[in-house]
Amino acid sequence: MNPFPTTSTNTSPTDVDHIQLLFTDVAGRLKTLEIAASRWNQVQNGGWTMDSSVLLGQGGPGHGDLRLVPDPDTFVVRPWRTPSGRTVGLAFCDVLDDRGNPFAADPRARLRHAVAGSEARGQRPVFGVEAEFYLLRSCDTRPQGPPVDTGGYWDLVEQEQADEVCRDTGDALEAMGFTVLGHHHEVCAGQREIVFRHGDALVTADRLLLLKHTARTMARRRGMKAVFMPKPLAHLYGNALHVHVSLRGTDGEAAPLFHGADDPQDMSALFRQSLAGVLEHADALTALGNPTVNSYKRLVPGSGTPVHRSWARHNRSTAFKVVGDGAEPGSTRLELRSPDPAANPHLLFTAILTAFGDGQDRGLKLSEACEEPTDTLGEAERAVRGIVPLPTDLPTALRALEENPTVREALGDLTTRAWLEASRADWNAWHRLVTPWEVDRYLDAV
């Protein structure tokens, strides 16, 4: 029996007890201000003032106070109650500056601007995501416990605790208006994936953040921990965030623009230019899709993860894969297989659309597909085919972003500077850390 009945579409913000007003900082962390529902109309009309450092991660002259203004179209009722039985609503907010304009470093505003640019070309972006995560047993003595089951890829397992978390999560998401397509066991013990229906860019990015929050909540209610960290367990594969994207026309027909009926790989000329743009900007995209020190523990040769700038139609180890059934034109799309769940989806989607537009504007030519795992090719052969390594550590990726004027312009100077400063602070903190591995290896050996 579904413990989370579908919320009525007629539910008003004033029908709940409290409302969590949601927004994200530059890093993609979900932030909130909670208000009593009785204050909804006042906050919707007048907003709520907050310090810009909440978004930027640091203060700065000239940024001043910002204003949160809830977007009523995003309001949903959280289908689980508080421990004391209260009902809570959720609504995403726009972040405005002191002049009432969209704040330059609001990730949702950057994505909305990028979508507007695509629509001006007659192209409506459609995004879908597949977020992998681990379900670990709670442990009082250390941050992470062991996986909750011993299953493997798409296995039917007898230990149903993890299935129950996925069922709880799926039911809760359905009650909030998602269309949950299914869930399955991923490659490693305790690793899962829940997939919801694709949609508009902003909706999909918002919903990915709600999925992560909901999965963590449902896991905790059953004495487990849902972990979206890119590489939480050294001996097992990491968590990926596969991003699917296509373009449709903005007219009434909304025709798929990526399908090419006469192309041997079912790709339109527009798709080829868009993919060429993504390849052109792949290093900067890596900084946004793999934003933590830990991200690069997942992206290592021989692990089945993409470590080279290449694309394919059938090779699942490539960074960029063309997906779709030629008999269904609407299914033709690009899958980015490198990103991980630590990414800020709003900024990553912004950069992808920017790369698409740049490839189209410059008429970039697409290289040949690489259907073999790039790890099996010699360095000389990769060089002949124009296949080069993606960034292998955070500083290299950040340098690529800093040196990419096209992506920087799309993110905005303030967003880019805040991103770089926060990421480099993370790297410096890691770089100063002396790990147990180093002590074991070098204490008595050097």
Side-chain angles (χ1 to χ4, degrees), residues 271-282 285 352 354-360 364 366:
F271 191 177
R272 289 182 172 275
Q273 292 175 349
S274 300
L275 176 50
V278 165
L279 290 168
E280 177 83 0
H281 298 287
L285 289 175
I352 292 169
T354 300
F356 279 1
D358 190 51
Q360 295 167 25
L364 295 179
L366 183 62

mmCIF file of all heavy atoms in Angstrom, residues 271-282 285 352 354-360 364 366:
data_model
loop_
_atom_site.group_PDB
_atom_site.id
_atom_site.type_symbol
_atom_site.label_atom_id
_atom_site.label_comp_id
_atom_site.label_asym_id
_atom_site.label_seq_id
_atom_site.Cartn_x
_atom_site.Cartn_y
_atom_site.Cartn_z
ATOM 1 N N PHE A 271 22.392 17.832 -34.551
ATOM 2 C CA PHE A 271 22.912 16.993 -33.472
ATOM 3 C C PHE A 271 24.433 16.889 -33.587
ATOM 4 O O PHE A 271 25.154 17.018 -32.592
ATOM 5 C CB PHE A 271 22.269 15.614 -33.531
ATOM 6 C CG PHE A 271 22.520 14.743 -32.320
ATOM 7 C CD1 PHE A 271 21.930 13.486 -32.238
ATOM 8 C CD2 PHE A 271 23.318 15.156 -31.264
ATOM 9 C CE1 PHE A 271 22.156 12.668 -31.135
ATOM 10 C CE2 PHE A 271 23.541 14.336 -30.151
ATOM 11 C CZ PHE A 271 22.956 13.096 -30.101
ATOM 12 N N ARG A 272 24.940 16.676 -34.787
ATOM 13 C CA ARG A 272 26.385 16.534 -34.981
ATOM 14 C C ARG A 272 27.120 17.812 -34.572
ATOM 15 O O ARG A 272 28.162 17.765 -33.915
ATOM 16 C CB ARG A 272 26.690 16.157 -36.429
ATOM 17 C CG ARG A 272 26.275 14.724 -36.780
ATOM 18 C CD ARG A 272 26.617 14.341 -38.211
ATOM 19 N NE ARG A 272 26.372 12.917 -38.417
ATOM 20 C CZ ARG A 272 27.236 11.949 -38.138
ATOM 21 N NH1 ARG A 272 28.432 12.259 -37.656
ATOM 22 N NH2 ARG A 272 26.930 10.680 -38.339
ATOM 23 N N GLN A 273 26.575 18.962 -34.937
ATOM 24 C CA GLN A 273 27.205 20.224 -34.529
ATOM 25 C C GLN A 273 27.131 20.414 -33.014
ATOM 26 O O GLN A 273 28.096 20.873 -32.384
ATOM 27 C CB GLN A 273 26.527 21.388 -35.232
ATOM 28 C CG GLN A 273 26.763 21.431 -36.735
ATOM 29 C CD GLN A 273 25.960 22.532 -37.404
ATOM 30 O OE1 GLN A 273 25.085 23.139 -36.791
ATOM 31 N NE2 GLN A 273 26.249 22.795 -38.673
ATOM 32 N N SER A 274 25.996 20.045 -32.416
ATOM 33 C CA SER A 274 25.826 20.197 -30.968
ATOM 34 C C SER A 274 26.793 19.297 -30.214
ATOM 35 O O SER A 274 27.436 19.732 -29.240
ATOM 36 C CB SER A 274 24.381 19.869 -30.572
ATOM 37 O OG SER A 274 23.461 20.728 -31.224
ATOM 38 N N LEU A 275 26.923 18.053 -30.653
ATOM 39 C CA LEU A 275 27.855 17.134 -30.010
ATOM 40 C C LEU A 275 29.298 17.591 -30.203
ATOM 41 O O LEU A 275 30.124 17.497 -29.281
ATOM 42 C CB LEU A 275 27.655 15.719 -30.562
ATOM 43 C CG LEU A 275 28.620 14.634 -30.068
ATOM 44 C CD1 LEU A 275 28.736 14.620 -28.551
ATOM 45 C CD2 LEU A 275 28.179 13.260 -30.588
ATOM 46 N N ALA A 276 29.605 18.113 -31.389
ATOM 47 C CA ALA A 276 30.949 18.651 -31.616
ATOM 48 C C ALA A 276 31.239 19.798 -30.649
ATOM 49 O O ALA A 276 32.365 19.951 -30.154
ATOM 50 C CB ALA A 276 31.096 19.120 -33.059
ATOM 51 N N GLY A 277 30.233 20.607 -30.352
ATOM 52 C CA GLY A 277 30.413 21.679 -29.374
ATOM 53 C C GLY A 277 30.680 21.138 -27.976
ATOM 54 O O GLY A 277 31.517 21.671 -27.237
ATOM 55 N N VAL A 278 29.990 20.065 -27.600
ATOM 56 C CA VAL A 278 30.228 19.452 -26.296
ATOM 57 C C VAL A 278 31.643 18.893 -26.213
ATOM 58 O O VAL A 278 32.337 19.038 -25.196
ATOM 59 C CB VAL A 278 29.175 18.350 -26.035
ATOM 60 C CG1 VAL A 278 29.597 17.448 -24.893
ATOM 61 C CG2 VAL A 278 27.817 18.975 -25.725
ATOM 62 N N LEU A 279 32.103 18.249 -27.283
ATOM 63 C CA LEU A 279 33.480 17.743 -27.300
ATOM 64 C C LEU A 279 34.486 18.886 -27.197
ATOM 65 O O LEU A 279 35.511 18.775 -26.519
ATOM 66 C CB LEU A 279 33.717 16.929 -28.571
ATOM 67 C CG LEU A 279 32.985 15.584 -28.657
ATOM 68 C CD1 LEU A 279 33.069 15.022 -30.070
ATOM 69 C CD2 LEU A 279 33.577 14.591 -27.669
ATOM 70 N N GLU A 280 34.190 19.989 -27.870
ATOM 71 C CA GLU A 280 35.075 21.155 -27.835
ATOM 72 C C GLU A 280 35.243 21.684 -26.413
ATOM 73 O O GLU A 280 36.326 22.142 -26.025
ATOM 74 C CB GLU A 280 34.501 22.253 -28.749
ATOM 75 C CG GLU A 280 35.262 23.549 -28.757
ATOM 76 C CD GLU A 280 36.460 23.529 -29.704
ATOM 77 O OE1 GLU A 280 36.692 22.481 -30.360
ATOM 78 O OE2 GLU A 280 37.155 24.539 -29.800
ATOM 79 N N HIS A 281 34.179 21.630 -25.632
ATOM 80 C CA HIS A 281 34.187 22.215 -24.286
ATOM 81 C C HIS A 281 34.181 21.139 -23.192
ATOM 82 O O HIS A 281 33.837 21.438 -22.035
ATOM 83 C CB HIS A 281 32.981 23.140 -24.127
ATOM 84 C CG HIS A 281 32.978 24.293 -25.080
ATOM 85 N ND1 HIS A 281 33.832 25.374 -24.944
ATOM 86 C CD2 HIS A 281 32.244 24.516 -26.212
ATOM 87 C CE1 HIS A 281 33.603 26.226 -25.940
ATOM 88 N NE2 HIS A 281 32.657 25.732 -26.729
ATOM 89 N N ALA A 282 34.583 19.931 -23.539
ATOM 90 C CA ALA A 282 34.469 18.810 -22.607
ATOM 91 C C ALA A 282 35.264 19.012 -21.323
ATOM 92 O O ALA A 282 34.825 18.605 -20.237
ATOM 93 C CB ALA A 282 34.905 17.520 -23.296
ATOM 94 N N LEU A 285 33.351 21.272 -19.076
ATOM 95 C CA LEU A 285 32.182 20.543 -18.595
ATOM 96 C C LEU A 285 32.569 19.573 -17.488
ATOM 97 O O LEU A 285 31.783 19.317 -16.563
ATOM 98 C CB LEU A 285 31.528 19.774 -19.749
ATOM 99 C CG LEU A 285 30.806 20.610 -20.804
ATOM 100 C CD1 LEU A 285 30.317 19.709 -21.941
ATOM 101 C CD2 LEU A 285 29.640 21.369 -20.201
ATOM 102 N N ILE A 352 26.073 22.726 -20.825
ATOM 103 C CA ILE A 352 25.770 21.832 -21.946
ATOM 104 C C ILE A 352 25.054 22.591 -23.060
ATOM 105 O O ILE A 352 25.408 22.476 -24.244
ATOM 106 C CB ILE A 352 24.917 20.637 -21.458
ATOM 107 C CG1 ILE A 352 25.748 19.730 -20.530
ATOM 108 C CG2 ILE A 352 24.389 19.836 -22.648
ATOM 109 C CD1 ILE A 352 24.924 18.691 -19.803
ATOM 110 N N THR A 354 25.112 25.743 -23.615
ATOM 111 C CA THR A 354 26.063 26.702 -24.184
ATOM 112 C C THR A 354 26.984 26.019 -25.186
ATOM 113 O O THR A 354 27.268 26.569 -26.265
ATOM 114 C CB THR A 354 26.890 27.338 -23.060
ATOM 115 O OG1 THR A 354 25.997 28.022 -22.168
ATOM 116 C CG2 THR A 354 27.908 28.317 -23.609
ATOM 117 N N ALA A 355 27.452 24.821 -24.858
ATOM 118 C CA ALA A 355 28.305 24.064 -25.777
ATOM 119 C C ALA A 355 27.530 23.692 -27.047
ATOM 120 O O ALA A 355 28.083 23.759 -28.150
ATOM 121 C CB ALA A 355 28.837 22.822 -25.085
ATOM 122 N N PHE A 356 26.281 23.307 -26.896
ATOM 123 C CA PHE A 356 25.442 23.041 -28.075
ATOM 124 C C PHE A 356 25.412 24.268 -28.995
ATOM 125 O O PHE A 356 25.639 24.166 -30.205
ATOM 126 C CB PHE A 356 24.009 22.724 -27.643
ATOM 127 C CG PHE A 356 23.767 21.318 -27.179
ATOM 128 C CD1 PHE A 356 24.782 20.380 -27.133
ATOM 129 C CD2 PHE A 356 22.499 20.920 -26.792
ATOM 130 C CE1 PHE A 356 24.552 19.082 -26.706
ATOM 131 C CE2 PHE A 356 22.240 19.633 -26.377
ATOM 132 C CZ PHE A 356 23.270 18.712 -26.321
ATOM 133 N N GLY A 357 25.089 25.419 -28.403
ATOM 134 C CA GLY A 357 24.955 26.630 -29.209
ATOM 135 C C GLY A 357 26.248 27.021 -29.884
ATOM 136 O O GLY A 357 26.254 27.467 -31.038
ATOM 137 N N ASP A 358 27.368 26.838 -29.190
ATOM 138 C CA ASP A 358 28.657 27.193 -29.785
ATOM 139 C C ASP A 358 28.985 26.269 -30.956
ATOM 140 O O ASP A 358 29.489 26.728 -31.992
ATOM 141 C CB ASP A 358 29.756 27.112 -28.724
ATOM 142 C CG ASP A 358 31.072 27.694 -29.201
ATOM 143 O OD1 ASP A 358 31.070 28.837 -29.694
ATOM 144 O OD2 ASP A 358 32.100 26.999 -29.106
ATOM 145 N N GLY A 359 28.688 24.989 -30.801
ATOM 146 C CA GLY A 359 28.915 24.058 -31.901
ATOM 147 C C GLY A 359 28.082 24.398 -33.118
ATOM 148 O O GLY A 359 28.549 24.298 -34.266
ATOM 149 N N GLN A 360 26.841 24.840 -32.890
ATOM 150 C CA GLN A 360 25.966 25.227 -34.000
ATOM 151 C C GLN A 360 26.445 26.525 -34.647
ATOM 152 O O GLN A 360 26.510 26.621 -35.888
ATOM 153 C CB GLN A 360 24.536 25.388 -33.478
ATOM 154 C CG GLN A 360 23.902 24.100 -32.962
ATOM 155 C CD GLN A 360 22.622 24.367 -32.185
ATOM 156 O OE1 GLN A 360 21.956 25.392 -32.388
ATOM 157 N NE2 GLN A 360 22.278 23.473 -31.282
ATOM 158 N N LEU A 364 30.788 23.426 -36.138
ATOM 159 C CA LEU A 364 31.883 22.504 -35.837
ATOM 160 C C LEU A 364 31.635 21.132 -36.451
ATOM 161 O O LEU A 364 30.497 20.644 -36.480
ATOM 162 C CB LEU A 364 32.066 22.378 -34.320
ATOM 163 C CG LEU A 364 32.516 23.635 -33.571
ATOM 164 C CD1 LEU A 364 32.631 23.357 -32.082
ATOM 165 C CD2 LEU A 364 33.843 24.139 -34.124
ATOM 166 N N LEU A 366 32.030 17.094 -36.500
ATOM 167 C CA LEU A 366 32.115 16.036 -35.510
ATOM 168 C C LEU A 366 33.172 15.008 -35.915
ATOM 169 O O LEU A 366 33.224 14.574 -37.071
ATOM 170 C CB LEU A 366 30.752 15.353 -35.369
ATOM 171 C CG LEU A 366 30.644 14.259 -34.308
ATOM 172 C CD1 LEU A 366 30.906 14.827 -32.918
ATOM 173 C CD2 LEU A 366 29.249 13.613 -34.364
#
